[in-house]
Amino acid sequence: MQPIQKYNYNQLYAHSIEQPDAFWLAEAKALSWFQQPTIGYSETEEGLPQWFADGQLNACYLALDYHIDAGLSDQVALIYDSPVTQTQQRITYGQMHREVSQLAGGLQALGLQVGDTVVIYMPMIPQAVYAMLACARIGVTHSVVFGGFAPHELAIRIDDCKPKVLITASSGIEVAKLIAYKPMVDDAISLATHQPNKVVVFNRKLGARIPFKPYDVDYDALVYGSDPVDCVSVPSTHPLYILYTSGTTGKPKGIVRDTGGYATALYASMKYIYGAQPGAVFWAASDVGWVVGHSYIVYGPLIYGCPTVIFEGKPVRTPDASTFWRVIAEHQVAIMFTAPTAIRAIKKEDPNGLLIKKYDVSCLRTQFLAGERCDKATLAWFQEHVGVPAIDHWWQTESGWPMLATMATDPTMPIVFGAAGKPVLGYDIQIRNEQGEAVAPTEEGFVVVKWPLPPGTLSNLWGDTERFKSGYLQQMPGFYFSGDGGYQDENGHFFITGRVDDVINVAGHRLSTSEMEEVLSAHPAVAECAVVGIDDALKGQIPVGLVVEKTGMEMETFQIQYELVQLVRDQIGAVASLRNILVVKRLPKTRSGKILRKVIRAIFDNMPYQVPSTIEDMSCLDEIKQAWEEYQEQQPKQL
């Protein structure tokens, strides 16, 4: 493994904040543009942000053609590992180029042209990546919809972005269960007002039902019956993709990502934050339906020249909690990225790290975590048993790449457990109170970013400029409003405490539920936990904790409840008022691993709630309802 290139964070960061145009124009030169930009940041007549407005390029060219032109046609670009089908493939740049360029030709033959949109609804297979790149190749804006979304949610997205074509597969696999995609696509189209012209179906030949419709086109027939096409030159500001994220109104927000700013930011992040070297294997254990999949399964690694892993499986149960370590060892993964939930799931099944010892994971240099706040206990467990740095960092679908991080390329930057790091290049991040005033170190407030944002971040919401401005720019004028709370310590490290509605008010005291979760997770018998605030007539709100015990370390219920209450009292104080602990078998989560705290809170407050279509297991909610009712009957005086 090549020695990691070292950079001075303080110098780079100061340059990016003090001279943003000069800094980012210099970084943009690392890419192969069709027309090199001379303009850094500017705004449209509507006041929308744009980067490198006079530049021309193509994201598919950067990801594939550039490396082929450099003589790397036979180098592995994509590693497909599917424990659920017991399949592995090592796909070269040349092989990907042939598949993508012919698929792009087929899409053009279906009538697609620059400015059109395509929805991609696929499992974690190479064809999902091919579809994304084929769209980029011909200047078509893609919108990947997570395969776990139900037809109703898919229909909402179809109506919003109005695709001419939808690309799907015959099925996905959830552990050992075959999930037929085509019937769900047909249902979504029947529900949608907008009707795509064609549905391209990749047949995985796994036995799933594929009902035929007049609009269907066979993927293989389209690809192998089409001529390859070259990359289309598009402006830097051209929308590469639309990615939907949850909104407070219930209607998903279509985050619009440009091409040139995004490519520049991803390249810089691979170099400075992750410390990647071209040729080193990069694995983001996520899904192409989420922003991590877009940025660090597809575009980031491929543009930078790193073989990327597309993994169709789970951290546990495919077949067990050793899966991640097998993938790392077999494919020589150098840098990995996953959600803390995945590591906690592994820790729950293998608390002593015995399965790690089955594999040689010495190739792994750095582990990055994001998607949710990671507790210190999980970070410490990883460091102890895997023996490499586990770096928590923070970003959002809206940002497209990290906003807070500890740069792997600066050995002088300490990893502070519990902190998300320091502001990344170009991000002037601050903590402000409800009045918009800067707060003192260690004081909690809203996490905001001084406007304008660096390249790669959202440029608008698809078809909804007013919502973009009102949701992100008007709540605190001059700043991007992240919707998260946090604080900064005396040394400049930022701590994210969660969404601002995760801060509860107990008898006039603002308390972070994530801080209580931190304490609960430190208990040796706790695998996972969540703390929510419920309504209380006397104190306004009181916290309730839910805990899942580690396998093989279960305790008497009253004993663990007592110990956890005492732990919070000892480490936070009686002001926290955490006296109610519910021991449950599992926590309700989306398939991306996020705990449904709002739903839990609604159950406890006996309020109506809407269950997201991405929930992993509906029966979990019934179990929590029953456990809560039994708990109230047993200990009414505590409530």
Side-chain angles (χ1 to χ4, degrees):
M1 188 183 298
Q2 298 177 354
I4 188 171
Q5 179 71 43
K6 296 180 182 178
Y7 297 96
N8 185 293
Y9 164 79
N10 290 327
Q11 290 179 0
L12 284 170
Y13 181 71
H15 186 199
S16 73
I17 297 299
E18 294 166 5
Q19 297 179 296
D21 281 0
F23 179 86
W24 289 112
L25 283 168
E27 291 300 320
K29 290 181 179 178
L31 303 179
S32 181
W33 295 75
F34 297 153
Q35 179 177 313
Q36 190 77 31
T38 62
I39 300 171
Y41 178 78
S42 59
E43 293 184 355
T44 67
E45 292 181 358
E46 291 182 283
L48 297 174
Q50 55 184 9
W51 279 91
F52 315 125
D54 60 341
Q56 293 272 334
L57 77 170
N58 184 283
C60 183
Y61 179 87
L62 298 177
L64 296 179
D65 302 64
Y66 171 81
H67 304 295
I68 291 171
D69 292 347
L72 301 176
S73 181
D74 294 330
Q75 179 176 300
V76 172
L78 183 69
I79 299 167
Y80 172 52
D81 190 301
S82 173
V84 294
T85 60
Q86 298 183 10
T87 302
Q88 289 188 17
Q89 289 178 269
R90 298 176 71 83
I91 304 161
T92 65
Y93 282 108
Q95 291 169 326
M96 282 188 69
H97 181 269
R98 286 190 292 274
E99 184 92 12
V100 169
S101 59
Q102 286 184 243
L103 176 56
L107 294 177
Q108 279 190 339
L110 293 179
L112 289 171
Q113 56 189 353
V114 176
D116 288 336
T117 57
V118 164
V119 162
I120 300 169
Y121 184 76
M122 299 188 86
M124 285 292 287
I125 56 177
Q127 287 73 21
V129 179
Y130 301 161
M132 294 168 71
L133 293 173
C135 290
R137 191 171 190 85
I138 59 174
V140 168
T141 301
H142 64 70
S143 182
V144 181
V145 178
F146 175 59
F149 275 120
H152 173 70
E153 296 292 330
L154 177 57
I156 291 172
R157 289 152 177 78
I158 289 172
D159 280 339
D160 195 68
C161 71
K162 298 177 173 52
K164 278 189 177 179
V165 171
L166 191 150
I167 304 175
T168 190
S170 55
S171 67
I173 302 177
E174 191 74 20
V175 186
K177 181 182 179 183
L178 196 68
I179 301 173
Y181 275 31
K182 184 55 168 50
M184 292 194 291
V185 168
D186 292 337
D187 287 347
I189 291 174
S190 70
L191 293 170
T193 302
H194 173 82
Q195 298 293 291
N197 297 337
K198 297 292 181 182
V199 174
V200 179
V201 185
F202 175 70
N203 188 355
R204 301 186 70 186
K205 300 176 182 177
L206 297 175
R209 186 168 66 93
I210 313 175
F212 177 78
K213 297 288 185 179
Y215 47 61
D216 288 349
V217 176
D218 181 75
Y219 178 98
D220 285 337
L222 181 67
V223 171
Y224 301 116
S226 301
D227 294 325
V229 294
D230 290 331
C231 294
V232 172
S233 178
V234 297
S236 172
T237 55
H238 178 75
L240 175 63
Y241 65 77
I242 307 161
L243 186 57
Y244 288 90
T245 188
S246 299
T248 55
T249 64
K251 179 187 175 183
K253 298 177 290 187
I255 304 299
V256 178
R257 193 83 64 212
D258 72 355
T259 301
Y262 185 53
T264 301
L266 291 182
Y267 193 95
S269 71
M270 293 291 290
K271 177 172 60 174
Y272 296 124
I273 300 172
Y274 299 110
Q277 292 116 3
V281 178
F282 192 100
W283 179 23
S286 182
D287 189 287
V288 292
W290 309 122
V291 69
V292 172
H294 284 62
S295 295
Y296 296 110
I297 294 177
V298 183
Y299 291 108
L302 290 175
I303 289 173
Y304 201 72
C306 290
T308 183
V309 178
I310 186 162
F311 173 72
E312 188 181 26
K314 298 286 185 182
V316 296
R317 297 186 295 153
T318 59
D320 56 29
S322 71
T323 299
F324 272 22
W325 320 125
R326 175 192 63 77
V327 173
I328 291 168
E330 288 185 1
H331 304 306
Q332 293 294 287
V333 174
I335 303 168
M336 186 179 174
F337 183 150
T338 192
T341 292
I343 303 302
R344 284 196 289 264
I346 294 170
K347 183 179 73 167
K348 180 179 183 296
E349 297 296 317
D350 184 26
N352 297 317
L354 298 179
L355 293 175
I356 301 171
K357 297 177 174 62
K358 290 175 59 178
Y359 297 97
D360 179 3
V361 294
S362 59
C363 56
L364 185 66
R365 193 185 69 229
T366 316
Q367 173 74 59
F368 284 86
L369 301 171
E372 57 179 310
R373 186 172 177 273
C374 188
D375 56 279
K376 295 178 184 178
T378 297
L379 291 168
W381 180 90
F382 191 92
Q383 188 105 1
E384 176 187 355
H385 294 288
V386 184
V388 302
I391 302 176
D392 194 12
H393 61 333
W394 172 76
W395 50 298
Q396 303 175 316
T397 301
E398 287 87 347
S399 70
W401 61 292
M403 303 166 80
L404 291 170
T406 301
M407 280 185 16
T409 54
D410 188 341
T412 67
M413 288 189 77
I415 298 173
V416 178
F417 279 7
K422 292 187 175 183
V424 169
L425 310 175
Y427 291 98
D428 183 351
I429 299 178
Q430 301 176 24
I431 307 294
R432 302 225 161 199
N433 61 22
E434 293 181 5
Q435 289 72 45
E437 302 163 335
V439 301
T442 73
E443 185 178 339
E444 194 170 328
F446 299 113
V447 182
V448 297
V449 190
K450 190 174 180 181
W451 190 259
L453 302 183
T457 54
L458 78 168
S459 56
N460 200 355
L461 294 180
W462 186 258
D464 204 343
T465 298
E466 287 309 308
R467 190 180 183 192
F468 166 70
K469 292 180 178 178
S470 64
Y472 298 107
L473 305 181
Q474 293 176 0
Q475 294 190 54
M476 204 164 288
F479 293 89
Y480 162 81
F481 188 82
S482 75
D484 279 338
Y487 63 92
Q488 186 179 15
D489 70 12
E490 294 86 348
N491 298 314
H493 300 281
F494 282 80
F495 295 73
I496 303 298
T497 55
R499 300 299 293 177
V500 291
D501 56 7
D502 287 339
V503 175
I504 61 175
N505 193 314
V506 180
H509 299 282
R510 286 173 56 86
L511 298 172
S512 168
T513 54
S514 64
E515 186 179 4
M516 298 181 213
E517 291 176 3
E518 186 83 40
V519 176
L520 297 183
S521 65
H523 191 285
V526 172
E528 286 190 298
C529 66
V531 176
V532 299
I534 66 171
D535 291 339
D536 179 76
L538 178 62
K539 297 185 177 181
Q541 286 181 299
I542 56 171
V544 177
L546 295 86
V547 297
V548 178
E549 294 175 285
K550 291 178 182 174
T551 303
M553 298 183 69
E554 293 85 354
M555 300 171 59
E556 289 289 335
T557 300
F558 78 91
Q559 184 64 33
I560 192 169
Q561 289 172 333
Y562 173 80
E563 291 184 12
L564 291 173
V565 168
Q566 288 302 121
L567 204 58
V568 172
R569 188 182 183 92
D570 291 343
Q571 296 192 27
I572 299 179
V575 67
S577 295
L578 181 57
R579 300 186 180 92
N580 305 291
I581 302 291
L582 198 63
V583 180
V584 296
K585 294 180 180 179
R586 51 201 170 147
L587 298 175
K589 300 175 185 175
T590 64
R591 290 188 179 92
S592 65
K594 291 190 176 181
I595 298 170
L596 300 173
R597 290 176 175 83
K598 287 185 180 179
V599 174
I600 296 171
R601 189 161 55 241
I603 289 172
F604 288 177
D605 284 334
N606 196 28
M607 297 291 289
Y609 58 89
Q610 185 173 2
V611 180
S613 59
T614 52
I615 187 170
E616 191 168 27
D617 188 351
M618 284 286 291
S619 64
C620 181
L621 299 180
D622 292 331
E623 293 173 4
I624 286 180
K625 285 180 186 177
Q626 183 177 349
W628 179 239
E629 289 170 359
E630 293 174 354
Y631 179 82
Q632 288 177 298
E633 290 174 1
Q634 293 166 3
Q635 303 181 19
K637 293 180 182 179
Q638 291 191 11
L639 300 173

